[in-house]
Amino acid sequence: MTIRDNLIEVRRTIEHAARRAGRVASRVRLVAVSKNQTVEAIREACDAGQLLFGENRIQEAENKIHAMRSDIEWHLIGHLQTNKARSAVRLFDMIHSIDSLKLVMELDKRAKLADACVTVLIQVNVSGEESKFGLAEGDILPVIDWIMASQHLQLSGLMTIPPFSMNPEDSRPVFRGLRRLAEKAILDRGILEESELELSMGMSSDYWIAIEEGATLVRVGTAIFGER
Ligand SMILES: *Cc1c(COP(=O)(O)O)cnc(C)c1O
């Protein structure tokens, strides 16, 4: 199987899942997770029409971003340390991994200095699993309010990573929980319209389930590029 074949297969799975859920497939965007992949592999995906990629480390991403064509959209999906906020603002179109008020304040400052606007998602630890990054549900309101007050940060929605499991169905309640939280904390409060809300959830092992539960951004690496 080539990267092109894999992409065709993943896109087909996305369409089927959207149809099962009565959703339009165009409301689901595929973030091809290219961490640990070579520039050659990313080019191959590009040639197959994939123009949206996710990276999880600043340094690695920076080298790739400079080596690739400029019309590609790059998303940061991994934990961001505050001391890398300046680079993140410069390199990425969207940051999925907002997990502290401290990070929001630093990004706001850096975006202001760069006269940039950064689109962000708040990462939520829905399951309450101990080892994961992400804010507890109860801690997201002040972070939302700070982002809303900022001139340089644009809130687009929420992101989550469920605990690892061999059974993809185990992720469903976590995805459903993220959707419910977005309804309560963002839609019901009139912060975003339904059509603007982004929910970043689902990876190679469970992205079709995430789509059934309302994902608008699925982050898929292994199913496209093979094992890392
Ligand atoms: C690596 C990674 C993915 C992709 O995982 P696969 O199982 O390879 O699809 C998605 N999201 C995040 C945050 C990741 O770090």
Side-chain angles (χ1 to χ4, degrees), residues 2-74:
T2 65
I3 288 172
R4 179 183 294 270
D5 293 333
N6 290 340
L7 272 167
I8 290 169
E9 189 59 33
V10 169
R11 288 183 192 130
R12 189 177 294 143
T13 303
I14 289 173
E15 274 191 24
H16 287 167
R19 195 171 309 152
R20 275 199 304 280
R23 304 180 56 210
V24 272
S26 61
R27 256 298 261 159
V28 183
R29 288 196 295 157
L30 173 60
V31 182
V33 176
S34 50
K35 67 184 184 201
N36 301 338
Q37 302 297 336
T38 60
V39 166
E40 288 67 38
I42 302 174
R43 287 225 173 88
E44 212 176 312
C46 260
D47 291 342
Q50 181 63 32
L51 296 177
L52 168 55
F53 293 89
E55 287 282 339
N56 69 343
R57 283 202 305 271
I58 300 283
Q59 184 68 56
E60 182 188 335
E62 180 156 32
N63 297 331
K64 291 176 189 171
I65 291 171
H66 289 134
M68 297 294 298
R69 32 194 269 208
S70 61
D71 60 340
I72 294 176
E73 192 176 330
W74 295 94

Side-chain angles (χ1 to χ4, degrees), residues 145-164:
D145 291 342
W146 182 284
I147 297 171
M148 293 311 294
S150 156
Q151 305 286 306
H152 297 271
L153 301 179
Q154 167 73 47
L155 179 68
S156 262
L158 305 179
M159 178 270 221
T160 198
I161 306 174
F164 175 79

Side-chain angles (χ1 to χ4, degrees), residues 31-37 54-56 76-79 96-97 123 159-161 200 202-207 218-228:
V31 182
V33 176
S34 50
K35 67 184 184 201
N36 301 338
Q37 302 297 336
E55 287 282 339
N56 69 343
L76 180 65
I77 60 171
H79 176 65
H96 291 223
S97 44
Q123 182 174 351
M159 178 270 221
T160 198
I161 306 174
S200 168
M203 323 205 307
S204 293
S205 55
D206 54 17
Y207 64 98
V218 289
R219 310 177 309 267
V220 179
T222 311
I224 295 171
F225 294 105
E227 290 293 336
R228 284 180 291 273

